[in-house]
Amino acid sequence: MDTQEWKQHLPARAAFDPAKMAKIDCFRSERLLVGLNCFEPGQAQKVHTHAGADKFYFVVSGKARFLVGDRALEAPSGSLVIAPAGVPHGVETALERTVLLMGIAPTP
Amino acid sequence: MDTQEWKQHLPARAAFDPAKMAKIDCFRSERLLVGLNCFEPGQAQKVHTHAGADKFYFVVSGKARFLVGDRALEAPSGSLVIAPAGVPHGVETALERTVLLMGIAPTP
Protein backbone atom coordinates (compact mmCIF):
# COMPACT_ATOMS: atom_id res chain seq x y z
CA MET A 1 0.00 0.00 0.00
CA ASP A 2 1.00 3.62 -0.46
CA THR A 3 2.72 4.76 2.72
CA GLN A 4 0.51 7.87 2.62
CA GLU A 5 -2.28 5.53 3.68
CA TRP A 6 -0.53 4.43 6.87
CA LYS A 7 -2.52 7.12 8.70
CA GLN A 8 -6.16 7.85 7.87
CA HIS A 9 -8.59 10.10 9.75
CA LEU A 10 -11.76 8.04 9.70
CA PRO A 11 -14.39 10.74 10.30
CA ALA A 12 -13.03 12.42 7.15
CA ARG A 13 -13.27 9.18 5.15
CA ALA A 14 -16.89 8.43 6.05
CA ALA A 15 -19.35 8.80 3.16
CA PHE A 16 -23.06 8.05 2.99
CA ASP A 17 -25.35 6.79 0.26
CA PRO A 18 -29.02 7.73 0.51
CA ALA A 19 -29.95 4.39 -1.14
CA LYS A 20 -28.08 1.94 1.09
CA MET A 21 -25.24 1.34 3.55
CA ALA A 22 -21.93 2.58 2.09
CA LYS A 23 -18.71 0.51 2.32
CA ILE A 24 -15.24 2.07 2.21
CA ASP A 25 -12.06 -0.02 2.23
CA CYS A 26 -9.25 1.29 4.45
CA PHE A 27 -6.82 -1.64 4.16
CA ARG A 28 -6.98 -4.91 2.32
CA SER A 29 -4.65 -7.90 2.15
CA GLU A 30 -5.45 -11.59 1.96
CA ARG A 31 -5.05 -11.75 5.74
CA LEU A 32 -7.08 -8.73 6.86
CA LEU A 33 -9.74 -6.38 5.55
CA VAL A 34 -10.41 -3.15 7.46
CA GLY A 35 -13.05 -0.71 6.32
CA LEU A 36 -15.94 1.57 7.15
CA ASN A 37 -19.65 0.73 6.98
CA CYS A 38 -21.65 3.97 6.94
CA PHE A 39 -25.39 4.07 7.58
CA GLU A 40 -28.05 6.73 7.37
CA PRO A 41 -30.73 6.32 10.06
CA GLY A 42 -32.90 3.30 9.25
CA GLN A 43 -30.40 1.67 6.87
CA ALA A 44 -29.45 -1.95 7.50
CA GLN A 45 -27.02 -4.73 6.62
CA LYS A 46 -28.62 -8.09 5.94
CA VAL A 47 -27.75 -10.95 8.26
CA HIS A 48 -24.99 -13.06 6.74
CA THR A 49 -22.33 -15.54 7.85
CA HIS A 50 -18.61 -15.87 7.12
CA ALA A 51 -17.37 -19.44 7.37
CA GLY A 52 -13.76 -19.50 8.59
CA ALA A 53 -13.40 -15.74 9.12
CA ASP A 54 -13.78 -13.70 12.32
CA LYS A 55 -15.28 -10.23 12.16
CA PHE A 56 -15.63 -7.27 14.44
CA TYR A 57 -17.41 -3.93 14.27
CA PHE A 58 -16.46 -0.88 16.34
CA VAL A 59 -19.06 1.87 16.59
CA VAL A 60 -17.08 5.03 15.80
CA SER A 61 -20.15 7.27 15.93
CA GLY A 62 -23.92 6.91 16.07
CA LYS A 63 -25.88 3.95 17.37
CA ALA A 64 -27.12 0.75 15.71
CA ARG A 65 -29.02 -2.41 16.58
CA PHE A 66 -27.00 -5.49 15.58
CA LEU A 67 -28.12 -9.07 15.20
CA VAL A 68 -25.47 -11.60 16.25
CA GLY A 69 -26.42 -15.25 16.54
CA ASP A 70 -29.89 -15.21 18.11
CA ARG A 71 -29.32 -11.94 19.94
CA ALA A 72 -30.22 -8.30 19.25
CA LEU A 73 -27.52 -5.94 20.53
CA GLU A 74 -28.08 -2.20 20.76
CA ALA A 75 -24.64 -0.68 20.40
CA PRO A 76 -23.83 3.00 20.94
CA SER A 77 -20.58 4.76 20.07
CA GLY A 78 -17.64 3.04 21.77
CA SER A 79 -19.08 -0.47 21.41
CA LEU A 80 -17.16 -3.41 19.99
CA VAL A 81 -19.36 -6.11 18.44
CA ILE A 82 -17.80 -9.50 17.65
CA ALA A 83 -19.07 -12.05 15.15
CA PRO A 84 -16.84 -15.14 15.36
CA ALA A 85 -16.56 -17.39 12.30
CA GLY A 86 -19.82 -19.14 11.48
CA VAL A 87 -22.04 -16.87 13.60
CA PRO A 88 -24.78 -15.08 11.60
CA HIS A 89 -24.57 -11.30 11.99
CA GLY A 90 -25.86 -8.07 10.53
CA VAL A 91 -27.23 -4.64 11.34
CA GLU A 92 -30.98 -4.69 11.86
CA THR A 93 -31.15 -0.91 11.73
CA ALA A 94 -29.08 2.19 12.32
CA LEU A 95 -30.80 4.21 15.03
CA GLU A 96 -28.82 7.33 14.07
CA ARG A 97 -26.38 8.23 11.29
CA THR A 98 -23.73 5.64 12.15
CA VAL A 99 -20.10 4.95 11.20
CA LEU A 100 -18.71 1.49 11.92
CA LEU A 101 -15.08 0.46 11.67
CA MET A 102 -15.12 -3.19 10.66
CA GLY A 103 -12.40 -5.77 10.34
CA ILE A 104 -12.48 -9.34 9.08
CA ALA A 105 -9.75 -11.95 8.97
CA PRO A 106 -8.96 -13.56 6.69
CA THR A 107 -10.43 -11.42 3.89
CA PRO A 108 -13.40 -13.23 2.29
CA MET B 1 -16.20 -17.36 23.21
CA ASP B 2 -18.96 -16.62 25.68
CA THR B 3 -21.79 -14.94 23.81
CA GLN B 4 -21.87 -12.32 26.59
CA GLU B 5 -18.66 -11.05 25.03
CA TRP B 6 -20.21 -10.39 21.63
CA LYS B 7 -20.77 -6.78 22.74
CA GLN B 8 -18.19 -4.90 24.79
CA HIS B 9 -18.17 -1.21 25.70
CA LEU B 10 -14.53 -0.30 25.20
CA PRO B 11 -14.26 2.86 27.33
CA ALA B 12 -15.43 0.69 30.25
CA ARG B 13 -12.81 -1.99 29.49
CA ALA B 14 -9.84 0.40 29.34
CA ALA B 15 -7.39 0.04 32.24
CA PHE B 16 -4.08 1.75 32.87
CA ASP B 17 -0.85 0.68 34.51
CA PRO B 18 1.34 3.44 35.98
CA ALA B 19 4.43 1.35 35.11
CA LYS B 20 3.84 0.67 31.40
CA MET B 21 1.37 0.40 28.55
CA ALA B 22 -1.49 -1.96 29.48
CA LYS B 23 -2.81 -4.62 27.06
CA ILE B 24 -6.35 -6.02 27.23
CA ASP B 25 -7.55 -8.81 24.93
CA CYS B 26 -11.06 -8.35 23.53
CA PHE B 27 -11.14 -11.28 21.08
CA ARG B 28 -8.58 -13.89 20.18
CA SER B 29 -8.59 -16.70 17.64
CA GLU B 30 -5.78 -18.06 15.49
CA ARG B 31 -7.02 -15.78 12.69
CA LEU B 32 -7.54 -12.49 14.51
CA LEU B 33 -6.52 -10.77 17.73
CA VAL B 34 -8.40 -7.63 18.78
CA GLY B 35 -7.51 -5.76 21.94
CA LEU B 36 -6.85 -2.50 23.70
CA ASN B 37 -3.50 -0.82 24.25
CA CYS B 38 -3.85 1.78 27.03
CA PHE B 39 -1.22 4.44 27.67
CA GLU B 40 -0.68 7.03 30.35
CA PRO B 41 0.89 10.24 28.98
CA GLY B 42 4.54 9.59 28.08
CA GLN B 43 4.21 5.79 27.91
CA ALA B 44 5.43 4.04 24.76
CA GLN B 45 5.42 0.78 22.83
CA LYS B 46 8.81 -0.25 21.46
CA VAL B 47 9.18 -0.47 17.70
CA HIS B 48 8.70 -4.06 16.57
CA THR B 49 7.81 -5.98 13.41
CA HIS B 50 5.35 -8.77 12.65
CA ALA B 51 6.44 -10.94 9.73
CA GLY B 52 3.39 -12.24 7.88
CA ALA B 53 0.77 -10.42 9.96
CA ASP B 54 -1.00 -7.11 9.25
CA LYS B 55 -1.84 -4.79 12.12
CA PHE B 56 -3.92 -1.69 12.65
CA TYR B 57 -4.46 0.72 15.51
CA PHE B 58 -7.53 2.93 15.90
CA VAL B 59 -7.22 5.85 18.31
CA VAL B 60 -10.37 5.58 20.44
CA SER B 61 -9.37 8.47 22.70
CA GLY B 62 -6.31 10.59 23.39
CA LYS B 63 -3.43 11.28 21.03
CA ALA B 64 -0.17 9.46 20.34
CA ARG B 65 2.89 9.74 18.13
CA PHE B 66 3.42 6.50 16.19
CA LEU B 67 6.48 5.30 14.33
CA VAL B 68 5.64 3.31 11.18
CA GLY B 69 8.42 2.42 8.77
CA ASP B 70 10.62 5.52 8.67
CA ARG B 71 7.78 7.91 9.48
CA ALA B 72 6.52 9.59 12.64
CA LEU B 73 2.73 9.95 12.63
CA GLU B 74 0.91 12.12 15.16
CA ALA B 75 -2.51 10.55 15.49
CA PRO B 76 -5.42 12.08 17.39
CA SER B 77 -8.70 10.39 18.30
CA GLY B 78 -10.41 9.04 15.15
CA SER B 79 -7.15 8.07 13.42
CA LEU B 80 -6.52 4.66 11.88
CA VAL B 81 -2.83 3.68 11.72
CA ILE B 82 -1.84 0.72 9.55
CA ALA B 83 1.32 -1.37 9.87
CA PRO B 84 1.35 -3.90 7.03
CA ALA B 85 3.27 -7.15 7.53
CA GLY B 86 7.02 -6.59 7.79
CA VAL B 87 6.81 -2.84 8.49
CA PRO B 88 8.40 -1.79 11.82
CA HIS B 89 5.93 0.04 14.05
CA GLY B 90 5.42 1.25 17.59
CA VAL B 91 4.25 4.14 19.72
CA GLU B 92 7.02 6.65 20.36
CA THR B 93 4.96 8.37 23.05
CA ALA B 94 1.40 8.95 24.16
CA LEU B 95 0.81 12.69 24.15
CA GLU B 96 -2.26 12.29 26.37
CA ARG B 97 -3.89 9.38 28.22
CA THR B 98 -4.64 7.25 25.16
CA VAL B 99 -6.76 4.20 24.35
CA LEU B 100 -5.98 2.31 21.13
CA LEU B 101 -8.10 -0.43 19.63
CA MET B 102 -5.66 -2.75 17.87
CA GLY B 103 -6.16 -5.70 15.58
CA ILE B 104 -3.66 -8.10 14.06
CA ALA B 105 -4.19 -10.94 11.63
CA PRO B 106 -3.23 -13.67 11.89
CA THR B 107 -2.60 -13.74 15.65
CA PRO B 108 1.17 -13.91 16.34
Side-chain angles (χ1 to χ4, degrees):
Chain A
M1 72 191 295
D2 188 316
T3 62
Q4 295 304 316
E5 296 167 11
W6 283 351
K7 186 178 86 167
Q8 304 175 33
H9 191 61
L10 294 191
R13 296 215 59 200
F16 298 87
D17 179 336
K20 62 178 199 293
M21 177 196 84
K23 291 185 178 187
I24 296 151
D25 277 12
C26 296
F27 174 78
R28 181 186 283 267
S29 72
E30 60 188 14
R31 296 172 288 265
L32 176 66
L33 170 63
V34 178
L36 297 181
N37 291 171
C38 303
F39 300 77
E40 292 287 13
Q43 291 184 340
Q45 181 185 46
K46 260 174 48 170
V47 171
H48 60 290
T49 303
H50 301 287
D54 299 309
K55 184 171 180 178
F56 75 88
Y57 302 93
F58 176 71
V59 184
V60 175
S61 59
K63 186 195 282 195
R65 191 160 57 241
F66 291 79
L67 300 170
V68 182
D70 58 358
R71 298 178 62 199
L73 303 171
E74 196 168 303
S77 172
S79 302
L80 181 72
V81 175
I82 304 280
V87 175
H89 59 277
V91 176
E92 184 183 21
T93 188
L95 301 164
E96 305 173 3
R97 179 178 264 210
T98 297
V99 176
L100 306 179
L101 174 66
M102 63 74 73
I104 183 166
T107 297
Chain B
M1 74 191 294
D2 188 318
T3 62
Q4 295 304 318
E5 297 167 9
W6 284 351
K7 187 178 84 169
Q8 304 175 35
H9 191 61
L10 294 192
R13 296 215 59 200
F16 298 87
D17 180 336
K20 61 177 200 295
M21 177 195 84
K23 291 185 180 188
I24 296 151
D25 276 14
C26 296
F27 174 78
R28 180 187 284 267
S29 73
E30 62 189 13
R31 297 172 287 265
L32 176 66
L33 170 62
V34 178
L36 297 180
N37 292 170
C38 302
F39 300 77
E40 292 287 13
Q43 291 183 340
Q45 181 184 46
K46 261 177 42 174
V47 171
H48 60 291
T49 303
H50 301 287
D54 298 310
K55 183 171 182 178
F56 75 87
Y57 302 93
F58 176 71
V59 185
V60 175
S61 59
K63 186 194 281 196
R65 192 161 56 240
F66 291 80
L67 300 171
V68 182
D70 58 358
R71 298 178 61 199
L73 303 172
E74 196 167 303
S77 172
S79 301
L80 181 71
V81 175
I82 303 280
V87 175
H89 59 279
V91 176
E92 183 183 20
T93 188
L95 301 164
E96 304 173 3
R97 177 179 266 211
T98 297
V99 176
L100 307 179
L101 174 65
M102 63 74 71
I104 182 163
T107 297

